[in-house]
Amino acid sequence: SIKSKDQAEIPDVGISCTSVTAEREELIDFSHSFNETYTAIAVRQTTLWSAITGFLTSPRVLQTLLIILGVAILIGGDFFLLEYRINKKLFSSNTVIGRIIEPVIVGLMFVTNGPIRFYRFKTLTARVLATVLTLSSTFLIAAITAVLASSFTLNAKKTEVRSLDDLRELQVGALVASTSSAFLNANGIPHHTRPDLDTLVNDLDSGGLDAIVSDAAFLTYRINRGKQQGKFKSLTVLPYELEAQNYAFVLKQDSPLREKINLALLTERMQRDWRDKLLEYLGD
């Protein structure tokens, strides 16, 4: 490094996993690449059971189920008041619990399975109500089916990211001021930023994020090290190469050290030890 009277110490070489970009090349110089990686996606792996439980515990699904139950109680209660004294085929129980359950069952039939046929009711009022509900239940069942199907599809996308477009409906994270964040912005994908990789990976593991996008080398190293410590057991880096990333040393413009560093890098990368280290830390 060099240092003048009026300047702070200026390093000759910046050694870090710095990606080579055109914007950075305008301000600084780079050595030859010392590692080639790519932008990748990391997600939580889930089983079929966890996907189902995730669907059932979804706030949207729980809200829909409560609406179904409420409408069923309302419909069943109306029919019970109209028919329980004279219609023993539908309301035959003599116990308190039975008189609660039977109207709910009748209501659920209308809400989820279509209407009970009008001739099963004894009173004219109940038959007219059944006819009206015959028409309305068709639309109600269609609406309920659409809501539940879309909720299950959304939950499945959280567990199975197959393309970049799947990220648009998820809570996605990236490092602040990173090439990954710039890549997501360029593709119009909303995302949250985190100040460091540990926070990013921990938020994915805890469920605060559905997916994270970063350099594959970063993600692979951090997740592998976490698994060795008994953490991040459900995290995985997907095998999708979104954008090539080349790491290089940062140099001052027109640095006289560039040729020597490039020669050293070309020599070192041919050594078996270099490949062994890549295998040790990155697993490939």
Side-chain angles (χ1 to χ4, degrees):
S1 62
I2 60 175
K3 187 177 182 180
S4 66
K5 294 180 179 180
D6 301 324
Q7 291 179 319
E9 187 173 345
I10 302 174
D12 294 318
V13 183
I15 301 177
S16 180
C17 293
T18 305
S19 298
V20 180
T21 67
E23 293 79 10
R24 292 170 179 172
E25 184 70 38
E26 293 179 353
L27 303 174
I28 55 177
D29 209 351
F30 287 102
S31 69
H32 283 174
S33 171
F34 64 81
N35 188 49
E36 292 73 44
T37 184
Y38 53 89
T39 304
I41 305 170
V43 296
R44 290 186 306 280
Q45 286 181 312
T46 57
T47 62
L48 176 61
W49 173 250
S50 60
I52 293 174
T53 55
F55 165 73
L56 293 176
T57 57
S58 166
R60 188 179 183 187
V61 172
L62 292 176
Q63 184 181 31
T64 303
L65 293 177
L66 288 175
I67 292 174
I68 292 173
L69 182 60
V71 173
I73 291 173
L74 179 62
I75 293 174
D78 288 339
F79 282 120
F80 180 78
L81 293 175
L82 292 170
E83 298 273 317
Y84 79 96
R85 288 191 179 92
I86 60 175
N87 196 334
K88 296 303 180 182
K89 288 186 178 181
L90 293 179
F91 305 110
S92 59
S93 178
N94 293 321
T95 66
V96 175
I97 295 178
R99 290 184 177 182
I100 293 175
I101 293 177
E102 285 179 341
V104 174
I105 293 174
V106 172
L108 287 173
M109 291 291 290
F110 274 92
V111 175
T112 62
N113 195 44
I116 297 174
R117 294 176 182 178
F118 78 97
Y119 56 76
R120 293 186 179 276
F121 298 102
K122 304 295 184 181
T123 64
L124 178 62
T125 304
R127 290 185 174 187
V128 171
L129 179 60
T131 303
V132 172
L133 290 176
T134 298
L135 300 175
S136 60
S137 64
T138 301
F139 299 101
L140 183 60
I141 292 172
I144 291 172
T145 302
V147 170
L148 295 179
S150 64
S151 296
F152 188 81
T153 300
L154 181 60
N155 188 72
K157 284 187 175 182
K158 289 184 178 181
T159 60
E160 294 186 14
V161 177
R162 299 184 182 276
S163 68
L164 189 63
D165 285 338
D166 289 337
L167 297 178
R168 299 184 189 279
E169 298 180 0
L170 306 181
Q171 295 294 316
V172 181
L175 290 175
V176 65
S178 64
T179 53
S180 300
S181 180
F183 172 77
L184 291 172
N185 285 330
N187 284 275
I189 298 177
H191 61 283
H192 307 277
T193 57
R194 298 292 188 267
D196 55 71
L197 187 63
D198 283 343
T199 302
L200 194 65
V201 176
N202 285 330
D203 283 356
L204 174 64
D205 189 52
S206 66
L209 295 170
D210 299 321
I212 57 177
V213 177
S214 189
D215 293 359
F218 284 178
L219 294 175
T220 302
Y221 172 79
R222 186 66 189 91
I223 291 174
N224 285 348
R225 284 295 174 264
K227 288 182 176 180
Q228 291 175 4
Q229 300 166 3
K231 302 189 298 182
F232 308 149
K233 294 181 180 180
S234 65
L235 300 191
T236 186
V237 179
L238 298 178
Y240 307 137
E241 301 182 9
L242 301 181
E243 184 179 54
Q245 298 289 331
N246 295 311
Y247 293 153
F249 295 154
V250 178
L251 304 170
K252 295 183 297 183
Q253 291 283 11
D254 303 319
S255 171
L257 300 175
R258 181 175 182 179
E259 289 302 319
K260 292 181 180 179
I261 291 174
N262 286 341
L263 180 60
L265 283 173
L266 290 173
T267 303
E268 185 65 27
R269 291 195 60 175
M270 295 297 295
Q271 304 302 314
R272 178 62 183 267
D273 288 347
W274 177 265
R275 295 192 293 271
D276 289 343
K277 284 297 181 184
L278 289 179
L279 183 63
E280 176 185 353
Y281 286 100
L282 302 181
D284 55 17

